[in-house]
Amino acid sequence: MMIDKVVASADQAVADIPDGASLAVGGFGLCGIPVALIDALHRAGTSGLETVSNNCGVDDWGLGILLRDGRIRRTISSYVGENKEFARQYLAGELEVVLTPQGTLAEKLRAGGAGIPAFYTKAGVGTQVSDGGLPQKYDANGGIAVASAPKEVRSFGGVDYVLEESLTPDFGLVHAWKGDRHGNLVFHATAMNFNPLCAMAGRITIAEVEELVEPGELDPEHIHTPGIFVQRVVLAQDGEKRIEKRTVALNQAGA
C-alpha cells in the first residue's frame, strides 16, 4: 500500500526542521518559490540555517524574510543580487556565502539526488572557483575570514576539469503546481527551474502544491518528480505570486 504523504498545514510540515539544518529551496528569483513553507519556517523561529538556493529571495519576500531576521548563517547560491540586506550581511561578516556557477549548482543537486557523490566539470577551471581564494565570509574589519579552498583539477582528453562535490541537504522545500497524495509532482512552466533538483537532493523533501489530486489522476507521462523523492505534501492554495521585475511595452505614442 502506498503511503498518504499529505500533512494538514505548512506549519506541521516544517515543525521538525531543527536549528542549524541545511535546506535545498526551489525557485528562481521569485518564480516557483515555496512561500508557504518559508513563511511557516519563519513563524517557527528556526535559525542557524544553511540554504542551498539559486538566489536568496529579495529583501521582503521568500528566503529574504529569514535572512532579514538573521535566521540564515550560510548560503550556497549562484545569483545573489536584488537583495540589499544580503549584501550588507555578507560584507559585514554576518553571513557566509558560497558562490557557485549556476549550472554547477544545478548538477550538485541533481547528482546528490542520484546518489553520485562528486563529478568533474569545465565550469570554473582556471578561476578562483577551482584555484580557491573566493571570499566566503568577511570579518568585522572587512578582511577575509573564510576563503574557498582549492579543488582538485584533472585532465581528460587534454582538457582540464574541476572536481565538484554533490549536495544532499537535510531538507528540500519545493513548490509544485499539482501533486497527489503519494508525492508525485507536476511543475508549471518556468516554475520547474530548480524545484525538481531540490526535491531530488533533500533527504526529507516537503512539497507545497497549488492543487492536490488523488492517486491516478496525474498522467504518469507528465509527472516531473516521482513520489519516491517526496516525503510530505501540503496544500498551499491562493499564495501570492510576485513579479520580480515588471516590464511593460511602450504604447504607440511612446508613453
Side-chain angles (χ1 to χ4, degrees):
M1 179 181 293
M2 297 292 289
I3 300 173
D4 187 340
K5 300 176 181 179
V6 176
V7 294
S9 67
D11 295 275
Q12 181 180 335
V14 304
D16 65 341
I17 297 180
D19 291 346
S22 57
L23 312 174
V25 184
F28 188 103
L30 300 185
C31 180
I33 59 175
V35 175
L37 295 175
I38 293 171
D39 286 349
L41 199 59
H42 183 258
R43 287 192 295 272
T46 314
S47 62
L49 297 167
E50 177 184 61
T51 58
V52 182
S53 180
N54 179 65
N55 55 299
C56 206
V58 294
D59 288 302
D60 63 344
W61 195 246
L63 286 175
I65 67 170
L66 293 174
L67 186 73
R68 178 194 65 204
D69 289 350
R71 309 282 184 79
I72 298 175
R73 62 172 179 83
R74 186 174 192 263
T75 186
I76 302 172
S77 299
S78 175
Y79 176 67
V80 294
E82 316 303 332
N83 193 322
K84 293 178 181 179
E85 177 60 15
F86 185 104
R88 188 201 67 76
Q89 289 188 23
Y90 176 47
L91 296 175
E94 300 171 13
L95 177 68
E96 185 174 349
V97 179
V98 182
L99 287 174
T100 306
Q102 195 169 82
T104 301
L105 181 61
E107 183 61 11
K108 279 173 168 282
L109 292 164
R110 190 207 66 82
I116 300 169
F119 58 91
Y120 286 96
T121 176
K122 290 192 289 185
V125 171
T127 73
Q128 286 182 304
V129 170
S130 62
D131 299 344
L134 274 174
Q136 292 185 349
K137 190 173 185 180
Y138 289 99
D139 59 30
N141 298 317
I144 299 175
V146 179
S148 65
K151 298 174 182 176
E152 177 186 334
V153 176
R154 185 174 172 184
S155 179
F156 294 90
V159 179
D160 286 343
Y161 295 80
V162 58
L163 182 68
E164 293 282 359
E165 295 186 10
S166 303
L167 293 168
T168 53
D170 300 324
F171 292 84
L173 307 182
V174 301
H175 177 96
W177 176 36
K178 293 182 180 180
D180 66 19
R181 293 182 177 275
H182 294 166
N184 297 302
L185 304 177
V186 177
F187 304 97
H188 181 65
T190 53
M192 190 169 180
N193 53 61
F194 276 80
N195 277 299
L197 306 173
C198 291
M200 290 178 66
R203 293 188 177 96
I204 297 174
T205 290
I206 308 169
E208 63 174 63
V209 300
E210 297 178 31
E211 184 178 342
L212 180 64
V213 301
E214 295 302 318
E217 291 187 43
L218 297 177
D219 184 338
E221 294 185 1
H222 294 163
I223 290 172
H224 296 130
T225 296
I228 189 67
F229 290 111
V230 179
Q231 283 68 48
R232 300 171 197 164
V233 178
V234 61
L235 181 62
Q237 294 175 302
D238 304 321
E240 182 183 355
K241 295 183 180 180
R242 295 192 181 185
I243 297 174
E244 188 169 359
K245 289 188 177 181
R246 187 180 298 275
T247 303
V248 296
L250 297 176
N251 61 27
Q252 292 183 349

